[in-house]
Amino acid sequence: MTGTGRYHPWQTQRCVTSIDLRLCLSCKEAEQLKDWLCQVLVTLLSLCEGFWAVPGPRLRPSDPRAEFDSIVNLARNLLSDTKNLFNHFKNRYPAEGEHKLETLPVLSMNAVELANIQVSGGLARLSSDLQCYQRHFEWLRKAAPLLRPMEHDIGTVHVRLERLLKRLEHLMVKLSLPRPNDPLPTLPSHGTHWSVVQAGHAIVHSFHLYLDWAARALVLIRNKL
């Protein structure tokens, strides 16, 4: 302002420039604040995701329950394979009536007995029964020339049965439990094609029912360790 009370043009331009600078600084600060808030938000989200992804407490490898969980999974997978074999066998060799073999394990435990199953006695029975089924599947596998379309399915179940039995016996050794020494059944020589088919129906159907029981029994025994 001059002595006459008027603004010179250069003074007005300086005021406008000052206001523009302040506005530019405010915009830059706002952008910086926005970027900073975004970084904080991303960091917080990553921390939350990491927290949600943290798994629950894992059992130590030396804990027998960890090995037992693996055995339960093996039994369930074997049950699924046996169910497929059972359905394929029925479709390939339809047969009326019920087929039985006296050499197969007898499943007679009711619901009350199953609920009261004990670790030592339950594992001993499972080991003994699985050894018996292993002998029957060995017999059935040797009859492959008479059941050639089913050879692969029978072999898959037999191999996984052996794996389950070995893991179960290893667990019994770790728990210092006595292993059963029951005599294995003596199976007849392979006869006619029809006799092998009848025996196959009996073995596969019996094993399918047994594994359904065994999977539940293993879970109950595991919970008592």
Side-chain angles (χ1 to χ4, degrees), residues 99-199:
H99 304 280
K100 294 182 179 181
L101 281 178
E102 297 297 330
T103 52
L104 288 168
V106 178
L107 186 60
S108 59
M109 184 174 291
N110 57 39
V112 176
E113 292 172 331
L114 178 61
N116 295 325
I117 194 169
Q118 299 302 310
V119 175
S120 179
L123 292 180
R125 174 172 179 178
L126 284 166
S127 177
S128 177
D129 290 346
L130 290 176
Q131 287 180 22
C132 183
Y133 278 112
Q134 182 189 32
R135 174 61 64 89
H136 282 83
F137 270 94
E138 286 177 354
W139 181 91
L140 196 59
R141 197 171 185 179
K142 291 178 181 178
L146 299 175
L147 302 171
R148 190 165 298 279
M150 306 301 304
E151 183 178 10
H152 179 266
D153 291 345
I154 293 172
T156 298
V157 170
H158 183 220
V159 169
R160 294 194 176 183
L161 169 56
E162 289 183 332
R163 186 182 308 166
L164 174 61
L165 184 55
K166 289 179 180 178
R167 294 290 294 275
L168 184 61
E169 291 176 344
H170 180 266
L171 177 64
M172 294 178 70
V173 171
K174 181 179 291 188
L175 296 175
S176 300
L177 298 177
R179 295 173 59 187
N181 193 23
D182 299 331
L184 294 175
T186 302
L187 301 178
S189 59
H190 301 99
T192 63
H193 176 265
W194 176 240
S195 66
V196 172
V197 168
Q198 288 179 308

Side-chain angles (χ1 to χ4, degrees), residues 65-123:
R65 291 175 298 176
E67 187 168 353
F68 217 108
D69 291 339
S70 176
I71 291 175
V72 171
N73 288 331
L74 282 176
R76 288 172 174 169
N77 291 335
L78 181 56
L79 173 60
S80 177
D81 292 333
T82 306
K83 182 178 180 180
N84 291 333
L85 172 60
F86 177 58
N87 291 330
H88 293 165
F89 206 95
K90 286 194 304 180
N91 293 333
R92 180 65 186 181
Y93 303 109
E96 298 292 336
E98 184 178 3
H99 304 280
K100 294 182 179 181
L101 281 178
E102 297 297 330
T103 52
L104 288 168
V106 178
L107 186 60
S108 59
M109 184 174 291
N110 57 39
V112 176
E113 292 172 331
L114 178 61
N116 295 325
I117 194 169
Q118 299 302 310
V119 175
S120 179
L123 292 180

Side-chain angles (χ1 to χ4, degrees), residues 1-15:
M1 181 181 294
T2 64
T4 59
R6 296 180 179 179
Y7 285 101
H8 285 291
W10 65 267
Q11 290 178 315
T12 303
Q13 183 178 3
R14 184 173 62 181
C15 292

